[in-house]
Amino acid sequence: LFDALADQAALAIERVKLAEDIEKSRLSEQAESLRAALLTSISHDLRTPLSVILGAASSLKSLDSTLDASSRETFVGTIMEEGERLNRFIANLLDMTRLESGAIAPKLEATDLSDVVGSALRRAGRIFQDHKLVVALEPNLPLVKLDPVLFEQVLFNLLDNAGKYAPAGTEIAVAASRVGGQIVLTVEDHGNGIPPGDLERIFDKFYRVEARDRQNAGTGLGLPISRGFVEAMGGTITAQNREGGTGARFTITLPLEVA
Ligand code: ADP
């Protein structure tokens, strides 16, 4: 009887090992295909603007003597716009790399939230030519412990997304209030919102809500970078859909500056 039991136990152990081996090779296959997909996506995001730039530059060169001023302006405008996009993408990739290697060290200081919100809004100004902006910061908010440079980047990313994903003419609302020992800040829009199954995944690198947003000028890095920055400052950032209507809401919590 003892031998039979020992045999059975040995068999069971073999099975577990086999299952583990299969799981390991499945995971490394997954990692490999993820890496390949990331590379494809990065090279696509780099090459698309580059080929537009090269196309416009070569048209400028070959058509130079026949072009009127306004067509020339259009070509130059395209080159600058696509150059900006490349620049943004590379800056995002660098931020992501710095985050992942732990090289982001936030310089936390007691900050007046309305100053940072103000500067993010000024930077995102062009968005609000097309949208209605509503800002509601609770009066006399206490100081918040944050890195103003990183936090402005986070707010800019959220405002930029609201501008991209919500139709012109709709309202974008920024609100902040004190809740217990925290500051809660929200950015809300009246776009299509986010499918419930994607509310967490949009914080993954390069994840974008299906075909819907692939054509958009974004990089798929804004939200993961924002989350990395906010968490480095001791806060949280999550996505929801607005209750009672369409649109997305992003909620940030931050610790209050303690005296
Ligand atoms: P990007 O905007 O460059 O694609 P992000 O990381 O900022 O990258 O966002 C990831 C994805 O999350 C977007 O591609 C879009 O699908 C979705 N998303 C982000 N913000 C919004 C929003 N305000 N409304 C609807 N979808 C959004």
Side-chain angles (χ1 to χ4, degrees), residues 41 49 111:
S41 150
T111 308

Side-chain angles (χ1 to χ4, degrees), residues 55-186:
S58 108
S59 303
L60 264 182
K61 188 171 182 221
S62 61
L63 302 173
D64 192 38
S65 56
T66 57
L67 277 181
D68 58 33
S70 102
S71 317
R72 186 169 304 125
E73 189 128 317
T74 309
F75 281 124
V76 172
T78 303
I79 291 175
M80 289 179 68
E81 219 171 89
E82 296 298 312
E84 285 268 320
R85 180 182 300 190
L86 267 182
N87 208 4
R88 215 168 40 229
F89 184 63
I90 291 167
N92 277 347
L93 276 181
L94 283 178
D95 275 344
M96 202 65 230
T97 313
R98 282 162 66 213
L99 263 175
E100 287 182 340
S101 63
I104 296 267
K107 294 188 191 66
L108 299 178
E109 47 190 82
T111 308
D112 186 339
L113 201 59
S114 60
D115 289 345
V116 199
V117 170
S119 52
L121 289 175
R122 275 192 296 282
R123 201 172 135 203
R126 67 179 171 76
I127 297 165
F128 305 113
Q129 291 161 4
D130 302 331
H131 292 82
K132 226 168 5 163
L133 177 67
V134 180
V135 182
L137 305 185
E138 199 178 271
N140 307 320
L141 277 177
L143 298 181
V144 195
K145 213 197 281 178
L146 51 76
D147 179 324
V149 177
L150 295 187
F151 197 66
E152 187 193 308
Q153 180 65 40
V154 172
L155 281 179
F156 175 83
N157 288 345
L158 297 182
L159 291 167
D160 192 46
N161 278 350
K164 281 192 308 206
Y165 299 112
T170 56
E171 184 179 296
I172 298 174
V174 182
S177 58
R178 178 185 184 153
V179 180
Q182 288 185 320
I183 292 286
V184 178
L185 184 144
T186 54

Side-chain angles (χ1 to χ4, degrees), residues 161-162 164-165 189 193-194 202 207-209 212-213 218-224 248 250:
N161 278 350
K164 281 192 308 206
Y165 299 112
D189 64 55
I194 296 151
I202 53 172
Y207 188 80
R208 313 178 79 184
V209 176
R212 191 186 86 178
D213 300 327
T219 61
L221 287 171
L223 288 178
F250 288 84

